[in-house]
């Protein structure tokens, strides 16, 4: 990712979201050629010269101080995640010589851990959202149409972001796909800002820009948001509607891997649906091998809420 370019894009998108009246400046009722604040207005609010701000937005200055960045964040009314992202873009780490990234694999102990939680959908991800492992229930919940063993082969390893934008099955899984896509892309923006030299991540983003107009449109808006906990609403092809809480638990072994875990309140319709999916998954796996339960008939949405 071209960090100076990304910095300029980020500042312009946030500047365009603010009107003079939003920040206590007179608008004078004049018609504006571009939406949002002008460069000189933002520079005034942040207490910097228009020349300096213009150089910063054009990627010609890479030595902005903390005080300047903090002043810009206040003037632009950035969220804490956006504020941190601004710092990452303005002062990226020293670039290292690009090297072909080695395939990553989940540790055996991590695999055993998620395997010991048969009632909890669990997925192990790397920093680029590649699936490194999943337990049977995690596989059945998110990607029952894929081979259970696919995370073990880097050549065909699923990537949750790629699936969200390019896989029709995944697109149909989310009740509000547009909201899910915005959150996923905002989290990816934050990761990209923290890792400007990650060639594999840049290749993922580049391929999605070319293959998905939805991704390209959302990416141009430069959303930024960390997403470690929350709620997802799904419509599963086997057990129907689900409302699940999720948590991303980052492992502390230096790998940048994390476990994505799902749960539902005890005795809720979604809890009952998860238990049904778990029993169906266990039944399929107890035969000739791990399998995927067949989708329920169209009129057989099992015990869930929309």
């Amino acid at each position: 990712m071209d960090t100076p370019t990304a910095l300029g894009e980020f500042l312009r998108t946030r500047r365009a979201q603010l009107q003079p009246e939003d920040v206590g400046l007179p608008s004078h009722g004049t018609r504006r050629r571009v939406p949002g604040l002008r460069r000189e207005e933002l520079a005034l609010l942040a207490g910097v010269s228009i020349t300096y701000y213009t150089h910063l937005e054009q990627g010609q200055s890479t030595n902005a101080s903390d005080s300047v960045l903090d002043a810009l964040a206040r003037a632009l009314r950035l969220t804490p995640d956006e504020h941190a992202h601004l710092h990452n873009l303005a002062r990226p780490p020293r670039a290292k010589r690009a090297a072909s990234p080695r395939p990553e694999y989940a540790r055996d102990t991590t695999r055993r851990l998620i395997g010991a939680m048969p009632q909890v959908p669990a997925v192990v991800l790397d920093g680029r959202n590649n699936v490194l492992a999943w337990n049977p229930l995690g596989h059945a919940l998110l990607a029952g149409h894929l081979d259970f063993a696919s995370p073990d082969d880097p050549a065909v390893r699923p990537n949750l972001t790629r699936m969200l934008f390019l896989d029709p099955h995944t697109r149909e899984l989310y009740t509000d796909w547009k909201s899910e896509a915005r959150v996923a892309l905002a989290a990816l923006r934050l990761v990209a800002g923290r890792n400007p030299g990650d060639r594999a991540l840049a290749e993922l983003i580049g391929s999605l820009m070319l293959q998905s107009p939805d991704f390209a449109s959302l990416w141009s808006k430069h959303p930024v948001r960390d997403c470690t906990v929350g709620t997802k609403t799904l419509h599963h092809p086997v057990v129907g509607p689900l409302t699940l809480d999720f948590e991303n638990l980052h492992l502390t072994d230096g790998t940048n891997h994390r476990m994505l875990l799902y749960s539902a309140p005890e005795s809720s319709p979604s809890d009952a649906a998860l238990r049904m999916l778990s029993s169906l998954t266990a039944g399929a796996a107890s035969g000739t091998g791990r399998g995927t339960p067949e989708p329920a008939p169209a009129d057989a949405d099992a015990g869930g809420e929309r």
Side-chain angles (χ1 to χ4, degrees), residues 111-179:
R111 291 174 179 271
R112 287 199 299 270
L113 180 60
I114 63 172
M117 300 186 291
Q119 301 300 319
V120 177
V123 183
V124 181
L125 302 167
D126 68 8
R128 308 176 191 97
N129 268 355
N130 292 313
V131 178
L132 304 181
W134 43 27
N135 65 7
L137 188 53
H139 169 247
L141 177 68
L142 298 182
H145 60 294
L146 301 181
D147 184 357
F148 180 84
S150 58
D152 298 331
D153 182 357
V156 296
R157 178 174 286 165
N159 178 280
L160 291 191
T161 306
R162 184 182 294 279
M163 289 168 60
L164 183 62
F165 284 93
L166 300 180
D167 177 43
H169 296 277
T170 304
R171 196 172 184 125
E172 293 174 1
L173 179 65
Y174 292 95
T175 305
D176 186 353
W177 180 86
K178 289 184 178 179
S179 294

Side-chain angles (χ1 to χ4, degrees), residues 105-110 124 250-258:
Y105 297 92
R107 291 189 298 122
D108 289 341
T109 52
T110 306
V124 181
H250 288 265
L251 304 183
T252 58
D253 57 0
T255 60
N256 201 30
H257 297 172
R258 67 188 192 278

Side-chain angles (χ1 to χ4, degrees), residues 2 4 9 20-21 32 53-54 89 95 97 104 122-123 145 147 152 158 163 188 197 209 215 221 238 246 250 303:
D2 186 338
E9 290 174 355
E21 54 269 26
R32 292 176 171 249
Y53 175 75
T54 300
L89 295 181
R97 177 176 294 182
E104 298 183 43
V123 183
H145 60 294
D147 184 357
D152 298 331
M163 289 168 60
L188 185 65
M209 290 280 286
F215 183 93
K221 297 177 174 61
V238 175
F246 71 90
H250 288 265

Side-chain angles (χ1 to χ4, degrees), residues 26-208:
S27 63
H28 303 298
T30 56
R31 192 169 192 177
R32 292 176 171 249
R33 290 179 298 174
V34 294
L37 295 178
R38 297 188 177 103
R39 284 176 177 170
E40 58 267 26
E41 291 170 332
L42 179 56
L44 174 65
L45 288 170
V48 299
S49 72
I50 177 60
T51 301
Y52 179 82
Y53 175 75
T54 300
H55 286 168
L56 191 64
E57 193 172 281
Q58 292 178 344
Q60 298 173 13
S61 176
T62 58
N63 60 349
S65 66
D66 285 345
S67 60
V68 167
L69 296 176
D70 293 344
L72 285 171
R74 288 192 297 271
L76 290 168
R77 301 188 175 186
L78 301 185
T79 67
D81 289 338
E82 291 171 333
H83 192 164
H85 186 62
L86 175 63
H87 278 264
N88 289 333
L89 295 181
R91 289 206 301 272
R94 186 184 298 272
K96 299 178 181 179
R97 177 176 294 182
S100 299
R102 295 180 179 179
E104 298 183 43
Y105 297 92
R107 291 189 298 122
D108 289 341
T109 52
T110 306
R111 291 174 179 271
R112 287 199 299 270
L113 180 60
I114 63 172
M117 300 186 291
Q119 301 300 319
V120 177
V123 183
V124 181
L125 302 167
D126 68 8
R128 308 176 191 97
N129 268 355
N130 292 313
V131 178
L132 304 181
W134 43 27
N135 65 7
L137 188 53
H139 169 247
L141 177 68
L142 298 182
H145 60 294
L146 301 181
D147 184 357
F148 180 84
S150 58
D152 298 331
D153 182 357
V156 296
R157 178 174 286 165
N159 178 280
L160 291 191
T161 306
R162 184 182 294 279
M163 289 168 60
L164 183 62
F165 284 93
L166 300 180
D167 177 43
H169 296 277
T170 304
R171 196 172 184 125
E172 293 174 1
L173 179 65
Y174 292 95
T175 305
D176 186 353
W177 180 86
K178 289 184 178 179
S179 294
E180 180 66 23
R182 282 194 295 269
V183 170
L185 193 143
L188 185 65
R189 265 290 189 186
L190 200 59
V191 172
R194 292 168 180 161
N195 303 278
D198 189 327
R199 194 170 81 181
L201 181 60
E203 290 173 353
L204 170 66
I205 293 168
S207 68
L208 286 170

